[in-house]
């Protein structure tokens, strides 16, 4: 069994590559720090991106949401004065509604995710990192705000002073998360935002401890190529926590629980420097532009 730690858009590409090339025996542990309640609905963007990827419903150009969705609901609620900055599609809404009803009926997020994955005919296992409330807050000169408010509402424009994981200290890993990490042949940390996708998981003590115990089997793919994130605000977030925006910085951040790091060919000059941290480095093209790239990277990760 393969264990995969995933966020949303970047992770989805590797997850798709893995399921197409490797095996169905994959358990994906997904970030919950960017979950948000809007219009009375529980929205779990990273879980949903992974569910839509595995059920072949993802709007892959966008990296989130359902393909060919429409926005009639959003347009209509905005007429009545409700916020419309978070683009919830009409088809996407169905998932938030079903999940919200299950949670309101007393189901845990793990149970709700499991039943929804089954109803989508997903063969793989999808586990929320935690059933407890973990929320990533971005500290800016305008004050602290939810990650989605920073990234979607304010388009990632404010300066970032710091990042907080509210609730992470009190949170427990969801059922099966720790044993999945401990029993997996390999644990793959996706090319994901290290601060807003991987950070909320590794700040849950039980998950960090399990990863440290599994370190020899844990491999990560850098989300940074040539000192830049492929997409998103990872550079602002990393600087705010004092981490260098480079594959070396990512390796330093992950080194207590990762024994192998995959970096891009463009960064091969850094190999010796990174290996001094005590992490083995492998080099390949880690930019996934096409499904073919996703599958090639997936095969490479399995071979490392
Ligand atoms: P989010 O939750 O939607 O932000 O998605 P993730 O955290 O899973 O992925 C975003 C991160 O993945 C960003 O930091 C990107 O730099 C990185 N990323 C996106 N696409 C790629 C890619 O093709 N290759 C690599 N190596 N990193 C990528
Ligand atoms: N990302 C955006 O940039 N704009 C949106 O309006 C937006 C809506 C949205 C709705 C449902 C969903 O599952 C994801 C959505 N995302 C949107 C993506 C989301 O903000 C990010 O991918 C992650 O939360 C960052 O980790």
């Amino acid at each position: 069994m393969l264990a995969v730690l995933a966020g949303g858009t970047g992770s989805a590409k590797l997850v798709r590559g893995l399921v197409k090339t490797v095996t169905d025996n994959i358990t994906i542990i997904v970030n919950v720090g960017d979950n948000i309640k809007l219009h009375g609905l529980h929205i779990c963007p990273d879980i949903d991106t992974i569910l839509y990827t595995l059920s072949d419903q993802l709007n892959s150009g966008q990296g989130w949401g359902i393909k060919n969705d429409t926005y009639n609901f959003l347009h209509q609620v905005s007429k009545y004065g409700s916020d419309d900055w978070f683009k919830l599609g009409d088809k996407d809404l169905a998932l938030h509604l079903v999940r919200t009803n299950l949670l309101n009926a007393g189901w845990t997020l793990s149970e709700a995710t499991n039943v929804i994955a089954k109803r989508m005919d997903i063969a793989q296992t999808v586990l929320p990192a935690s059933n407890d409330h973990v929320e990533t807050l971005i500290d800016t000169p305008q004050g602290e705000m939810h990650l989605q408010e920073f990234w979607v509402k304010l388009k990632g424009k404010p300066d970032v002073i710091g990042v907080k994981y509210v609730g992470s200290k009190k949170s427990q890993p969801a059922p099966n998360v720790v044993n999945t990490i401990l029993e997996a042949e390999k644990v793959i940390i996706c090319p994901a935002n290290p601060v807003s996708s991987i950070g909320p998981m590794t700040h849950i003590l039980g998950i960090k401890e399990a990863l440290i115990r599994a370190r020899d089997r844990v491999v990560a793919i850098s989300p940074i190529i040539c000192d830049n994130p492929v997409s998103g605000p990872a550079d602002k977030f990393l600087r705010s926590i004092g981490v260098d925006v480079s594959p070396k910085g990512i390796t330093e951040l992950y080194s207590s629980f990762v024994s192998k790091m995959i970096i891009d060919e463009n960064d091969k000059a850094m190999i010796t420097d990174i290996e001094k941290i005590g992490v083995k480095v492998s080099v390949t093209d880690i930019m996934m532009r096409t499904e073919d790239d996703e599958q090639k990277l997936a095969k490479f990760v399995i071979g490392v």
Side-chain angles (χ1 to χ4, degrees), residues 1-4 15-28 54 121-126 185 302:
M1 183 260 296
L2 278 182
V4 179
V15 166
R16 190 164 44 212
L18 287 166
V19 297
K20 291 226 166 111
T21 52
V22 192
T23 162
D24 278 348
N25 199 359
I26 300 180
T27 297
I28 303 130
L54 295 172
D121 284 330
I122 290 173
Q124 299 77 20
T125 305
V126 180
E185 287 148 51
I302 295 306

mmCIF file with all atom_site columns, all heavy atoms in Angstrom, residues 1-4 15-28 54 121-126 185 302:
data_model
loop_
_atom_site.group_PDB
_atom_site.id
_atom_site.type_symbol
_atom_site.label_atom_id
_atom_site.label_alt_id
_atom_site.label_comp_id
_atom_site.label_asym_id
_atom_site.label_entity_id
_atom_site.label_seq_id
_atom_site.pdbx_PDB_ins_code
_atom_site.Cartn_x
_atom_site.Cartn_y
_atom_site.Cartn_z
_atom_site.occupancy
_atom_site.B_iso_or_equiv
_atom_site.pdbx_formal_charge
_atom_site.auth_seq_id
_atom_site.auth_comp_id
_atom_site.auth_asym_id
_atom_site.auth_atom_id
_atom_site.pdbx_PDB_model_num
ATOM 1   N N   . MET A 1 1   ? 0.838   -1.199 0.000   1.00 0.00 ? 1   MET A N   1
ATOM 2   C CA  . MET A 1 1   ? 0.000   0.000  0.000   1.00 0.00 ? 1   MET A CA  1
ATOM 3   C C   . MET A 1 1   ? 0.882   1.261  0.000   1.00 0.00 ? 1   MET A C   1
ATOM 4   O O   . MET A 1 1   ? 1.893   1.336  0.672   1.00 0.00 ? 1   MET A O   1
ATOM 5   C CB  . MET A 1 1   ? -0.880  -0.039 1.262   1.00 0.00 ? 1   MET A CB  1
ATOM 6   C CG  . MET A 1 1   ? -1.852  1.086  1.393   1.00 0.00 ? 1   MET A CG  1
ATOM 7   S SD  . MET A 1 1   ? -1.269  2.374  2.518   1.00 0.00 ? 1   MET A SD  1
ATOM 8   C CE  . MET A 1 1   ? -1.203  1.529  4.083   1.00 0.00 ? 1   MET A CE  1
ATOM 9   N N   . LEU A 1 2   ? 0.437   2.239  -0.812  1.00 0.00 ? 2   LEU A N   1
ATOM 10  C CA  . LEU A 1 2   ? 1.141   3.518  -0.866  1.00 0.00 ? 2   LEU A CA  1
ATOM 11  C C   . LEU A 1 2   ? 0.355   4.527  -0.037  1.00 0.00 ? 2   LEU A C   1
ATOM 12  O O   . LEU A 1 2   ? -0.869  4.596  -0.166  1.00 0.00 ? 2   LEU A O   1
ATOM 13  C CB  . LEU A 1 2   ? 1.141   4.065  -2.286  1.00 0.00 ? 2   LEU A CB  1
ATOM 14  C CG  . LEU A 1 2   ? 2.142   3.598  -3.303  1.00 0.00 ? 2   LEU A CG  1
ATOM 15  C CD1 . LEU A 1 2   ? 1.905   4.378  -4.593  1.00 0.00 ? 2   LEU A CD1 1
ATOM 16  C CD2 . LEU A 1 2   ? 3.551   3.843  -2.803  1.00 0.00 ? 2   LEU A CD2 1
ATOM 17  N N   . ALA A 1 3   ? 1.053   5.324  0.753   1.00 0.00 ? 3   ALA A N   1
ATOM 18  C CA  . ALA A 1 3   ? 0.387   6.420  1.451   1.00 0.00 ? 3   ALA A CA  1
ATOM 19  C C   . ALA A 1 3   ? 0.817   7.716  0.775   1.00 0.00 ? 3   ALA A C   1
ATOM 20  O O   . ALA A 1 3   ? 1.993   7.880  0.434   1.00 0.00 ? 3   ALA A O   1
ATOM 21  C CB  . ALA A 1 3   ? 0.783   6.445  2.920   1.00 0.00 ? 3   ALA A CB  1
ATOM 22  N N   . VAL A 1 4   ? -0.141  8.598  0.559   1.00 0.00 ? 4   VAL A N   1
ATOM 23  C CA  . VAL A 1 4   ? 0.155   9.858  -0.127  1.00 0.00 ? 4   VAL A CA  1
ATOM 24  C C   . VAL A 1 4   ? -0.380  11.001 0.727   1.00 0.00 ? 4   VAL A C   1
ATOM 25  O O   . VAL A 1 4   ? -1.540  10.965 1.137   1.00 0.00 ? 4   VAL A O   1
ATOM 26  C CB  . VAL A 1 4   ? -0.525  9.878  -1.515  1.00 0.00 ? 4   VAL A CB  1
ATOM 27  C CG1 . VAL A 1 4   ? -0.262  11.181 -2.230  1.00 0.00 ? 4   VAL A CG1 1
ATOM 28  C CG2 . VAL A 1 4   ? -0.060  8.702  -2.374  1.00 0.00 ? 4   VAL A CG2 1
ATOM 29  N N   . VAL A 1 15  ? -1.381  12.625 -7.912  1.00 0.00 ? 15  VAL A N   1
ATOM 30  C CA  . VAL A 1 15  ? -2.327  11.560 -7.531  1.00 0.00 ? 15  VAL A CA  1
ATOM 31  C C   . VAL A 1 15  ? -2.902  10.905 -8.784  1.00 0.00 ? 15  VAL A C   1
ATOM 32  O O   . VAL A 1 15  ? -2.980  9.684  -8.895  1.00 0.00 ? 15  VAL A O   1
ATOM 33  C CB  . VAL A 1 15  ? -3.442  12.124 -6.608  1.00 0.00 ? 15  VAL A CB  1
ATOM 34  C CG1 . VAL A 1 15  ? -4.595  11.151 -6.476  1.00 0.00 ? 15  VAL A CG1 1
ATOM 35  C CG2 . VAL A 1 15  ? -2.868  12.469 -5.230  1.00 0.00 ? 15  VAL A CG2 1
ATOM 36  N N   . ARG A 1 16  ? -3.271  11.740 -9.776  1.00 0.00 ? 16  ARG A N   1
ATOM 37  C CA  . ARG A 1 16  ? -3.814  11.187 -11.031 1.00 0.00 ? 16  ARG A CA  1
ATOM 38  C C   . ARG A 1 16  ? -2.765  10.320 -11.723 1.00 0.00 ? 16  ARG A C   1
ATOM 39  O O   . ARG A 1 16  ? -3.037  9.236  -12.211 1.00 0.00 ? 16  ARG A O   1
ATOM 40  C CB  . ARG A 1 16  ? -4.243  12.338 -11.939 1.00 0.00 ? 16  ARG A CB  1
ATOM 41  C CG  . ARG A 1 16  ? -5.021  11.925 -13.160 1.00 0.00 ? 16  ARG A CG  1
ATOM 42  C CD  . ARG A 1 16  ? -5.731  13.098 -13.795 1.00 0.00 ? 16  ARG A CD  1
ATOM 43  N NE  . ARG A 1 16  ? -4.853  14.264 -13.856 1.00 0.00 ? 16  ARG A NE  1
ATOM 44  C CZ  . ARG A 1 16  ? -5.268  15.524 -13.776 1.00 0.00 ? 16  ARG A CZ  1
ATOM 45  N NH1 . ARG A 1 16  ? -6.539  15.782 -13.639 1.00 0.00 ? 16  ARG A NH1 1
ATOM 46  N NH2 . ARG A 1 16  ? -4.415  16.521 -13.844 1.00 0.00 ? 16  ARG A NH2 1
ATOM 47  N N   . GLY A 1 17  ? -1.509  10.779 -11.717 1.00 0.00 ? 17  GLY A N   1
ATOM 48  C CA  . GLY A 1 17  ? -0.426  9.984  -12.311 1.00 0.00 ? 17  GLY A CA  1
ATOM 49  C C   . GLY A 1 17  ? -0.256  8.664  -11.586 1.00 0.00 ? 17  GLY A C   1
ATOM 50  O O   . GLY A 1 17  ? -0.089  7.603  -12.215 1.00 0.00 ? 17  GLY A O   1
ATOM 51  N N   . LEU A 1 18  ? -0.327  8.702  -10.268 1.00 0.00 ? 18  LEU A N   1
ATOM 52  C CA  . LEU A 1 18  ? -0.127  7.474  -9.478  1.00 0.00 ? 18  LEU A CA  1
ATOM 53  C C   . LEU A 1 18  ? -1.235  6.457  -9.740  1.00 0.00 ? 18  LEU A C   1
ATOM 54  O O   . LEU A 1 18  ? -0.955  5.277  -9.960  1.00 0.00 ? 18  LEU A O   1
ATOM 55  C CB  . LEU A 1 18  ? -0.069  7.800  -7.980  1.00 0.00 ? 18  LEU A CB  1
ATOM 56  C CG  . LEU A 1 18  ? 1.208   8.487  -7.488  1.00 0.00 ? 18  LEU A CG  1
ATOM 57  C CD1 . LEU A 1 18  ? 1.015   9.057  -6.083  1.00 0.00 ? 18  LEU A CD1 1
ATOM 58  C CD2 . LEU A 1 18  ? 2.395   7.532  -7.508  1.00 0.00 ? 18  LEU A CD2 1
ATOM 59  N N   . VAL A 1 19  ? -2.491  6.905  -9.751  1.00 0.00 ? 19  VAL A N   1
ATOM 60  C CA  . VAL A 1 19  ? -3.564  5.918  -9.937  1.00 0.00 ? 19  VAL A CA  1
ATOM 61  C C   . VAL A 1 19  ? -3.574  5.377  -11.356 1.00 0.00 ? 19  VAL A C   1
ATOM 62  O O   . VAL A 1 19  ? -3.966  4.236  -11.583 1.00 0.00 ? 19  VAL A O   1
ATOM 63  C CB  . VAL A 1 19  ? -4.969  6.440  -9.544  1.00 0.00 ? 19  VAL A CB  1
ATOM 64  C CG1 . VAL A 1 19  ? -5.047  6.784  -8.070  1.00 0.00 ? 19  VAL A CG1 1
ATOM 65  C CG2 . VAL A 1 19  ? -5.390  7.628  -10.365 1.00 0.00 ? 19  VAL A CG2 1
ATOM 66  N N   . LYS A 1 20  ? -3.129  6.166  -12.312 1.00 0.00 ? 20  LYS A N   1
ATOM 67  C CA  . LYS A 1 20  ? -3.129  5.678  -13.704 1.00 0.00 ? 20  LYS A CA  1
ATOM 68  C C   . LYS A 1 20  ? -1.991  4.705  -13.959 1.00 0.00 ? 20  LYS A C   1
ATOM 69  O O   . LYS A 1 20  ? -2.080  3.857  -14.836 1.00 0.00 ? 20  LYS A O   1
ATOM 70  C CB  . LYS A 1 20  ? -3.031  6.866  -14.672 1.00 0.00 ? 20  LYS A CB  1
ATOM 71  C CG  . LYS A 1 20  ? -4.302  7.704  -14.678 1.00 0.00 ? 20  LYS A CG  1
ATOM 72  C CD  . LYS A 1 20  ? -4.753  8.050  -16.090 1.00 0.00 ? 20  LYS A CD  1
ATOM 73  C CE  . LYS A 1 20  ? -6.175  8.575  -16.094 1.00 0.00 ? 20  LYS A CE  1
ATOM 74  N NZ  . LYS A 1 20  ? -6.304  9.966  -16.414 1.00 0.00 ? 20  LYS A NZ  1
ATOM 75  N N   . THR A 1 21  ? -0.884  4.833  -13.211 1.00 0.00 ? 21  THR A N   1
ATOM 76  C CA  . THR A 1 21  ? 0.276   4.009  -13.554 1.00 0.00 ? 21  THR A CA  1
ATOM 77  C C   . THR A 1 21  ? 0.590   2.931  -12.531 1.00 0.00 ? 21  THR A C   1
ATOM 78  O O   . THR A 1 21  ? 1.163   1.918  -12.872 1.00 0.00 ? 21  THR A O   1
ATOM 79  C CB  . THR A 1 21  ? 1.555   4.861  -13.671 1.00 0.00 ? 21  THR A CB  1
ATOM 80  O OG1 . THR A 1 21  ? 1.671   5.629  -12.493 1.00 0.00 ? 21  THR A OG1 1
ATOM 81  C CG2 . THR A 1 21  ? 1.548   5.752  -14.870 1.00 0.00 ? 21  THR A CG2 1
ATOM 82  N N   . VAL A 1 22  ? 0.249   3.171  -11.300 1.00 0.00 ? 22  VAL A N   1
ATOM 83  C CA  . VAL A 1 22  ? 0.798   2.290  -10.282 1.00 0.00 ? 22  VAL A CA  1
ATOM 84  C C   . VAL A 1 22  ? -0.191  1.230  -9.816  1.00 0.00 ? 22  VAL A C   1
ATOM 85  O O   . VAL A 1 22  ? -0.175  0.100  -10.265 1.00 0.00 ? 22  VAL A O   1
ATOM 86  C CB  . VAL A 1 22  ? 1.355   3.095  -9.083  1.00 0.00 ? 22  VAL A CB  1
ATOM 87  C CG1 . VAL A 1 22  ? 2.169   2.187  -8.198  1.00 0.00 ? 22  VAL A CG1 1
ATOM 88  C CG2 . VAL A 1 22  ? 2.208   4.246  -9.560  1.00 0.00 ? 22  VAL A CG2 1
ATOM 89  N N   . THR A 1 23  ? -1.112  1.624  -9.001  1.00 0.00 ? 23  THR A N   1
ATOM 90  C CA  . THR A 1 23  ? -1.971  0.650  -8.343  1.00 0.00 ? 23  THR A CA  1
ATOM 91  C C   . THR A 1 23  ? -3.160  1.360  -7.724  1.00 0.00 ? 23  THR A C   1
ATOM 92  O O   . THR A 1 23  ? -3.096  2.554  -7.453  1.00 0.00 ? 23  THR A O   1
ATOM 93  C CB  . THR A 1 23  ? -1.186  -0.074 -7.213  1.00 0.00 ? 23  THR A CB  1
ATOM 94  O OG1 . THR A 1 23  ? -2.114  -0.688 -6.328  1.00 0.00 ? 23  THR A OG1 1
ATOM 95  C CG2 . THR A 1 23  ? -0.355  0.881  -6.382  1.00 0.00 ? 23  THR A CG2 1
ATOM 96  N N   . ASP A 1 24  ? -4.223  0.620  -7.500  1.00 0.00 ? 24  ASP A N   1
ATOM 97  C CA  . ASP A 1 24  ? -5.366  1.189  -6.787  1.00 0.00 ? 24  ASP A CA  1
ATOM 98  C C   . ASP A 1 24  ? -5.123  1.189  -5.287  1.00 0.00 ? 24  ASP A C   1
ATOM 99  O O   . ASP A 1 24  ? -5.863  1.808  -4.538  1.00 0.00 ? 24  ASP A O   1
ATOM 100 C CB  . ASP A 1 24  ? -6.618  0.347  -7.065  1.00 0.00 ? 24  ASP A CB  1
ATOM 101 C CG  . ASP A 1 24  ? -7.246  0.728  -8.388  1.00 0.00 ? 24  ASP A CG  1
ATOM 102 O OD1 . ASP A 1 24  ? -6.844  1.763  -8.953  1.00 0.00 ? 24  ASP A OD1 1
ATOM 103 O OD2 . ASP A 1 24  ? -8.130  -0.021 -8.846  1.00 0.00 ? 24  ASP A OD2 1
ATOM 104 N N   . ASN A 1 25  ? -4.087  0.451  -4.871  1.00 0.00 ? 25  ASN A N   1
ATOM 105 C CA  . ASN A 1 25  ? -3.879  0.309  -3.433  1.00 0.00 ? 25  ASN A CA  1
ATOM 106 C C   . ASN A 1 25  ? -3.160  1.537  -2.866  1.00 0.00 ? 25  ASN A C   1
ATOM 107 O O   . ASN A 1 25  ? -2.010  1.472  -2.462  1.00 0.00 ? 25  ASN A O   1
ATOM 108 C CB  . ASN A 1 25  ? -3.114  -0.982 -3.155  1.00 0.00 ? 25  ASN A CB  1
ATOM 109 C CG  . ASN A 1 25  ? -3.275  -1.411 -1.710  1.00 0.00 ? 25  ASN A CG  1
ATOM 110 O OD1 . ASN A 1 25  ? -3.950  -0.710 -0.928  1.00 0.00 ? 25  ASN A OD1 1
ATOM 111 N ND2 . ASN A 1 25  ? -2.646  -2.508 -1.340  1.00 0.00 ? 25  ASN A ND2 1
ATOM 112 N N   . ILE A 1 26  ? -3.885  2.637  -2.901  1.00 0.00 ? 26  ILE A N   1
ATOM 113 C CA  . ILE A 1 26  ? -3.320  3.913  -2.472  1.00 0.00 ? 26  ILE A CA  1
ATOM 114 C C   . ILE A 1 26  ? -4.262  4.524  -1.444  1.00 0.00 ? 26  ILE A C   1
ATOM 115 O O   . ILE A 1 26  ? -5.479  4.531  -1.638  1.00 0.00 ? 26  ILE A O   1
ATOM 116 C CB  . ILE A 1 26  ? -3.206  4.890  -3.674  1.00 0.00 ? 26  ILE A CB  1
ATOM 117 C CG1 . ILE A 1 26  ? -2.300  4.294  -4.752  1.00 0.00 ? 26  ILE A CG1 1
ATOM 118 C CG2 . ILE A 1 26  ? -2.673  6.244  -3.228  1.00 0.00 ? 26  ILE A CG2 1
ATOM 119 C CD1 . ILE A 1 26  ? -2.127  5.195  -5.959  1.00 0.00 ? 26  ILE A CD1 1
ATOM 120 N N   . THR A 1 27  ? -3.672  5.019  -0.371  1.00 0.00 ? 27  THR A N   1
ATOM 121 C CA  . THR A 1 27  ? -4.472  5.770  0.597   1.00 0.00 ? 27  THR A CA  1
ATOM 122 C C   . THR A 1 27  ? -3.986  7.207  0.583   1.00 0.00 ? 27  THR A C   1
ATOM 123 O O   . THR A 1 27  ? -2.794  7.466  0.745   1.00 0.00 ? 27  THR A O   1
ATOM 124 C CB  . THR A 1 27  ? -4.340  5.160  2.006   1.00 0.00 ? 27  THR A CB  1
ATOM 125 O OG1 . THR A 1 27  ? -4.871  3.821  1.950   1.00 0.00 ? 27  THR A OG1 1
ATOM 126 C CG2 . THR A 1 27  ? -5.123  5.955  3.033   1.00 0.00 ? 27  THR A CG2 1
ATOM 127 N N   . ILE A 1 28  ? -4.903  8.133  0.360   1.00 0.00 ? 28  ILE A N   1
ATOM 128 C CA  . ILE A 1 28  ? -4.529  9.540  0.268   1.00 0.00 ? 28  ILE A CA  1
ATOM 129 C C   . ILE A 1 28  ? -4.992  10.262 1.530   1.00 0.00 ? 28  ILE A C   1
ATOM 130 O O   . ILE A 1 28  ? -6.186  10.259 1.854   1.00 0.00 ? 28  ILE A O   1
ATOM 131 C CB  . ILE A 1 28  ? -5.129  10.186 -1.007  1.00 0.00 ? 28  ILE A CB  1
ATOM 132 C CG1 . ILE A 1 28  ? -4.647  9.388  -2.234  1.00 0.00 ? 28  ILE A CG1 1
ATOM 133 C CG2 . ILE A 1 28  ? -4.690  11.636 -1.155  1.00 0.00 ? 28  ILE A CG2 1
ATOM 134 C CD1 . ILE A 1 28  ? -5.747  8.994  -3.135  1.00 0.00 ? 28  ILE A CD1 1
ATOM 135 N N   . LEU A 1 54  ? -10.122 11.639 -8.495  1.00 0.00 ? 54  LEU A N   1
ATOM 136 C CA  . LEU A 1 54  ? -10.221 10.172 -8.514  1.00 0.00 ? 54  LEU A CA  1
ATOM 137 C C   . LEU A 1 54  ? -11.500 9.692  -9.205  1.00 0.00 ? 54  LEU A C   1
ATOM 138 O O   . LEU A 1 54  ? -11.549 8.545  -9.660  1.00 0.00 ? 54  LEU A O   1
ATOM 139 C CB  . LEU A 1 54  ? -10.161 9.627  -7.075  1.00 0.00 ? 54  LEU A CB  1
ATOM 140 C CG  . LEU A 1 54  ? -8.830  9.871  -6.339  1.00 0.00 ? 54  LEU A CG  1
ATOM 141 C CD1 . LEU A 1 54  ? -8.949  9.466  -4.875  1.00 0.00 ? 54  LEU A CD1 1
ATOM 142 C CD2 . LEU A 1 54  ? -7.686  9.106  -7.007  1.00 0.00 ? 54  LEU A CD2 1
ATOM 143 N N   . ASP A 1 121 ? -17.784 5.884  -6.672  1.00 0.00 ? 121 ASP A N   1
ATOM 144 C CA  . ASP A 1 121 ? -17.095 4.698  -7.223  1.00 0.00 ? 121 ASP A CA  1
ATOM 145 C C   . ASP A 1 121 ? -15.575 4.830  -7.207  1.00 0.00 ? 121 ASP A C   1
ATOM 146 O O   . ASP A 1 121 ? -14.882 4.356  -8.121  1.00 0.00 ? 121 ASP A O   1
ATOM 147 C CB  . ASP A 1 121 ? -17.545 4.424  -8.675  1.00 0.00 ? 121 ASP A CB  1
ATOM 148 C CG  . ASP A 1 121 ? -18.924 3.800  -8.698  1.00 0.00 ? 121 ASP A CG  1
ATOM 149 O OD1 . ASP A 1 121 ? -19.267 3.090  -7.725  1.00 0.00 ? 121 ASP A OD1 1
ATOM 150 O OD2 . ASP A 1 121 ? -19.655 4.052  -9.667  1.00 0.00 ? 121 ASP A OD2 1
ATOM 151 N N   . ILE A 1 122 ? -15.067 5.478  -6.183  1.00 0.00 ? 122 ILE A N   1
ATOM 152 C CA  . ILE A 1 122 ? -13.617 5.651  -6.069  1.00 0.00 ? 122 ILE A CA  1
ATOM 153 C C   . ILE A 1 122 ? -13.027 4.396  -5.409  1.00 0.00 ? 122 ILE A C   1
ATOM 154 O O   . ILE A 1 122 ? -13.495 3.968  -4.351  1.00 0.00 ? 122 ILE A O   1
ATOM 155 C CB  . ILE A 1 122 ? -13.295 6.932  -5.249  1.00 0.00 ? 122 ILE A CB  1
ATOM 156 C CG1 . ILE A 1 122 ? -13.680 8.162  -6.083  1.00 0.00 ? 122 ILE A CG1 1
ATOM 157 C CG2 . ILE A 1 122 ? -11.840 6.982  -4.816  1.00 0.00 ? 122 ILE A CG2 1
ATOM 158 C CD1 . ILE A 1 122 ? -13.592 9.484  -5.353  1.00 0.00 ? 122 ILE A CD1 1
ATOM 159 N N   . ALA A 1 123 ? -12.005 3.833  -6.059  1.00 0.00 ? 123 ALA A N   1
ATOM 160 C CA  . ALA A 1 123 ? -11.428 2.585  -5.549  1.00 0.00 ? 123 ALA A CA  1
ATOM 161 C C   . ALA A 1 123 ? -10.403 2.850  -4.437  1.00 0.00 ? 123 ALA A C   1
ATOM 162 O O   . ALA A 1 123 ? -10.142 1.983  -3.604  1.00 0.00 ? 123 ALA A O   1
ATOM 163 C CB  . ALA A 1 123 ? -10.748 1.837  -6.703  1.00 0.00 ? 123 ALA A CB  1
ATOM 164 N N   . GLN A 1 124 ? -9.806  4.025  -4.447  1.00 0.00 ? 124 GLN A N   1
ATOM 165 C CA  . GLN A 1 124 ? -8.758  4.330  -3.467  1.00 0.00 ? 124 GLN A CA  1
ATOM 166 C C   . GLN A 1 124 ? -9.392  4.813  -2.150  1.00 0.00 ? 124 GLN A C   1
ATOM 167 O O   . GLN A 1 124 ? -10.570 5.157  -2.115  1.00 0.00 ? 124 GLN A O   1
ATOM 168 C CB  . GLN A 1 124 ? -7.822  5.429  -4.004  1.00 0.00 ? 124 GLN A CB  1
ATOM 169 C CG  . GLN A 1 124 ? -7.091  5.054  -5.281  1.00 0.00 ? 124 GLN A CG  1
ATOM 170 C CD  . GLN A 1 124 ? -7.965  5.134  -6.525  1.00 0.00 ? 124 GLN A CD  1
ATOM 171 O OE1 . GLN A 1 124 ? -8.989  5.797  -6.541  1.00 0.00 ? 124 GLN A OE1 1
ATOM 172 N NE2 . GLN A 1 124 ? -7.555  4.442  -7.580  1.00 0.00 ? 124 GLN A NE2 1
ATOM 173 N N   . THR A 1 125 ? -8.559  4.862  -1.097  1.00 0.00 ? 125 THR A N   1
ATOM 174 C CA  . THR A 1 125 ? -9.061  5.348  0.192   1.00 0.00 ? 125 THR A CA  1
ATOM 175 C C   . THR A 1 125 ? -8.655  6.815  0.362   1.00 0.00 ? 125 THR A C   1
ATOM 176 O O   . THR A 1 125 ? -7.493  7.159  0.144   1.00 0.00 ? 125 THR A O   1
ATOM 177 C CB  . THR A 1 125 ? -8.456  4.506  1.339   1.00 0.00 ? 125 THR A CB  1
ATOM 178 O OG1 . THR A 1 125 ? -8.758  3.130  1.070   1.00 0.00 ? 125 THR A OG1 1
ATOM 179 C CG2 . THR A 1 125 ? -9.018  4.897  2.691   1.00 0.00 ? 125 THR A CG2 1
ATOM 180 N N   . VAL A 1 126 ? -9.615  7.633  0.742   1.00 0.00 ? 126 VAL A N   1
ATOM 181 C CA  . VAL A 1 126 ? -9.326  9.059  0.977   1.00 0.00 ? 126 VAL A CA  1
ATOM 182 C C   . VAL A 1 126 ? -9.599  9.354  2.454   1.00 0.00 ? 126 VAL A C   1
ATOM 183 O O   . VAL A 1 126 ? -10.713 9.142  2.936   1.00 0.00 ? 126 VAL A O   1
ATOM 184 C CB  . VAL A 1 126 ? -10.200 9.967  0.074   1.00 0.00 ? 126 VAL A CB  1
ATOM 185 C CG1 . VAL A 1 126 ? -9.890  11.444 0.339   1.00 0.00 ? 126 VAL A CG1 1
ATOM 186 C CG2 . VAL A 1 126 ? -9.993  9.632  -1.404  1.00 0.00 ? 126 VAL A CG2 1
ATOM 187 N N   . GLU A 1 185 ? 4.269   0.875  2.249   1.00 0.00 ? 185 GLU A N   1
ATOM 188 C CA  . GLU A 1 185 ? 5.589   0.553  1.677   1.00 0.00 ? 185 GLU A CA  1
ATOM 189 C C   . GLU A 1 185 ? 6.357   1.845  1.453   1.00 0.00 ? 185 GLU A C   1
ATOM 190 O O   . GLU A 1 185 ? 7.578   1.908  1.577   1.00 0.00 ? 185 GLU A O   1
ATOM 191 C CB  . GLU A 1 185 ? 5.435   -0.070 0.288   1.00 0.00 ? 185 GLU A CB  1
ATOM 192 C CG  . GLU A 1 185 ? 4.917   -1.479 0.248   1.00 0.00 ? 185 GLU A CG  1
ATOM 193 C CD  . GLU A 1 185 ? 4.101   -1.681 -1.028  1.00 0.00 ? 185 GLU A CD  1
ATOM 194 O OE1 . GLU A 1 185 ? 4.609   -1.363 -2.119  1.00 0.00 ? 185 GLU A OE1 1
ATOM 195 O OE2 . GLU A 1 185 ? 2.952   -2.142 -0.899  1.00 0.00 ? 185 GLU A OE2 1
ATOM 196 N N   . ILE A 1 302 ? 7.885   6.199  -7.619  1.00 0.00 ? 302 ILE A N   1
ATOM 197 C CA  . ILE A 1 302 ? 7.788   4.820  -7.139  1.00 0.00 ? 302 ILE A CA  1
ATOM 198 C C   . ILE A 1 302 ? 9.155   4.128  -7.204  1.00 0.00 ? 302 ILE A C   1
ATOM 199 O O   . ILE A 1 302 ? 9.502   3.308  -6.351  1.00 0.00 ? 302 ILE A O   1
ATOM 200 C CB  . ILE A 1 302 ? 6.757   4.033  -8.001  1.00 0.00 ? 302 ILE A CB  1
ATOM 201 C CG1 . ILE A 1 302 ? 5.369   4.630  -7.786  1.00 0.00 ? 302 ILE A CG1 1
ATOM 202 C CG2 . ILE A 1 302 ? 6.733   2.543  -7.683  1.00 0.00 ? 302 ILE A CG2 1
ATOM 203 C CD1 . ILE A 1 302 ? 4.948   4.702  -6.341  1.00 0.00 ? 302 ILE A CD1 1
#
